[in-house]
Amino acid sequence: MTSNDSRPFGCAHPTPFEEELVNAMNNFANSADAPTFDAPGITRRSRRKRATAIAGISAALIVAGGGTALASITGGSDAPKSAPAAAITAAPAKDAATLLFVHSEGMTIPIDLLGRSLDDAKGQIQKTRTKLGKVGEVDCGKYGKPGTVIQVDPHSPKTVANGDTIDVTLCAG
């Protein structure tokens, strides 16, 4: 077509080609089946996907909460260590203030109580569902901080489980 043959948009007289094209498109549209739309199926699938996503997120939160609980039992990496390095050498044995707690699922969890206050030690003992036994004091000289744990009994390499009694020895200063 040349510029002289072109018509303005919306002209009332279509060409024979345009008429034939519109008729062919109408025939095709009238002969094709309408698509099926399964609204209940789509709803079921979306609910199933949502439920699966919620279950996955819940499982991840439970795992994270369990890890947090485990970290609080073991003292975690953020637990305050108030004992100076010299106090460690004043302890009677290398692991004298470390509990080896045997979890009900068979895991052995080391709990380091060295340098913690009696209240912190009681908290850890309660978390492991063991009992606090005798609390004694020993003079640890200038190397220990008064009122902090320097020894527990039984200690590593012996293990403790729920219901066991743990004796604590504090630094007298």
Side-chain angles (χ1 to χ4, degrees), residues 4 21 32 91 110:
N4 293 339
L21 181 62

Side-chain angles (χ1 to χ4, degrees), residues 24-143:
M25 289 172 44
N26 285 335
N27 288 340
F28 176 76
N30 292 334
S31 67
D33 292 333
T36 58
F37 184 72
D38 182 22
I42 292 171
T43 303
R44 277 192 307 272
R45 285 189 298 272
S46 68
R47 285 184 182 158
R48 191 177 308 128
K49 286 179 183 178
R50 188 179 315 124
T52 303
I54 290 171
I57 291 170
S58 299
L61 289 174
I62 289 170
V63 168
T68 303
L70 183 62
S72 70
I73 287 175
T74 61
S77 60
D78 295 337
K81 304 287 184 190
S82 59
I88 296 171
T89 60
K94 181 180 177 204
D95 295 326
T98 301
L99 291 175
L100 284 180
F101 176 68
V102 179
H103 192 269
S104 60
E105 295 179 6
M107 298 183 312
T108 302
I109 303 168
I111 303 171
D112 185 18
L113 298 177
L114 183 65
R116 292 184 183 239
S117 68
L118 182 59
D119 289 336
D120 287 346
K122 284 180 183 178
Q124 291 296 321
I125 289 170
Q126 287 176 350
K127 287 179 185 178
T128 59
R129 295 186 182 144
T130 54
K131 300 174 194 167
L132 179 63
K134 298 177 194 172
V135 177
E137 289 187 349
V138 173
D139 184 22
C140 54
K142 61 181 180 180
Y143 298 109

